[in-house]
Amino acid sequence: MKKHITITGLAIIVSISIASAQSWKKLTKDVGSKVESVKGGTGLSEDEVGAGLKEALIQGVEKGVAQLSQADGYFKDPQIKIPMPDEAKKVETKLRKLGQGEKVDEAILSMNRAAEDAASEAKDLFVAAIKAMTITDAMNILKGNDDAATRYLRKSTNTELTEKFRPIIKTSLDKVGATKHWETVFSTYNKVPFVDKVNPDLEQYVTEKAITGLFIQVAKEELQIRKNPAARATDLLKKVFGN
């Protein structure tokens, strides 16, 4: 009888041990899955994810800036073309009615040419911000929305970009003749009898619009890398975004 109890007890102990081992195995597997989930669910190391994202962003910035720096990079893109400012719409309307549409067109074209001329200067600022990105930033971007990286760049660079971009824009405005065309438009308008005098801050306006266009273009490139396998130019990008 005692022997039977002993055998039965042993069987119970073995069963409990097996069950415990299986539970432990499941627990460690679940924890491992959660760790991978925290890392982005890719099975990649955090360093690989960080390097891949930085590579992707730098690629997107370089391509986006190159696109905008070309002639018509702003002017022929309806999404980012710089129009007359809202407070000057009545100026544009009035001058076109007076047969001065050519002057208005020249002013609009020259603003866009200034933005195109200045665009390349933004690349170094963007690249510096990307290189300063932390692992936490990288993981949040990987798990974020399709424009998470662009949002990070805007948050990280917008103030400095505005400060450094305005004098560049001023130089570009003078270089392409935009300042002259702007003065011609508004001096012509302000000579019209019985109109309220208008002359918006050209440098500030073009700076804001040029920077907005830069971020829109970078967002387009980010979306391409996330959604289009053909846009992933390196093995690391394929590995990170393929997962």
Side-chain angles (χ1 to χ4, degrees), residues 52-61 63 146 218-233 237-238 240-242:
L53 280 168
K54 289 181 181 183
E55 188 174 300
L57 280 174
I58 290 173
Q59 175 185 307
V61 162
K63 188 174 179 182
D146 288 341
V218 170
K220 290 179 185 178
E221 298 301 332
E222 179 185 356
L223 185 62
Q224 276 291 306
I225 291 170
R226 287 182 183 270
K227 301 295 186 182
N228 180 10
R232 300 167 195 157
L237 290 184
K238 291 171 185 174
V240 171
F241 290 97

Side-chain angles (χ1 to χ4, degrees), residues 189-206:
Y189 176 78
N190 289 335
K191 288 175 184 176
V192 176
F194 311 114
V195 299
D196 295 326
K197 303 295 186 284
V198 178
N199 193 7
D201 187 333
L202 174 62
E203 292 170 24
Q204 181 63 28
Y205 174 68
V206 177

Side-chain angles (χ1 to χ4, degrees), residues 165-233:
F165 218 54
R166 180 160 179 158
I168 295 169
I169 285 289
K170 181 183 185 307
T171 299
S172 295
L173 288 168
D174 293 339
K175 177 180 173 182
V176 302
T179 305
K180 179 186 71 176
H181 292 305
W182 185 268
E183 289 173 352
T184 298
V185 164
F186 287 97
S187 63
T188 301
Y189 176 78
N190 289 335
K191 288 175 184 176
V192 176
F194 311 114
V195 299
D196 295 326
K197 303 295 186 284
V198 178
N199 193 7
D201 187 333
L202 174 62
E203 292 170 24
Q204 181 63 28
Y205 174 68
V206 177
T207 297
E208 290 174 357
K209 287 296 185 181
I211 290 173
T212 297
L214 276 168
F215 285 121
I216 289 173
Q217 188 63 34
V218 170
K220 290 179 185 178
E221 298 301 332
E222 179 185 356
L223 185 62
Q224 276 291 306
I225 291 170
R226 287 182 183 270
K227 301 295 186 182
N228 180 10
R232 300 167 195 157

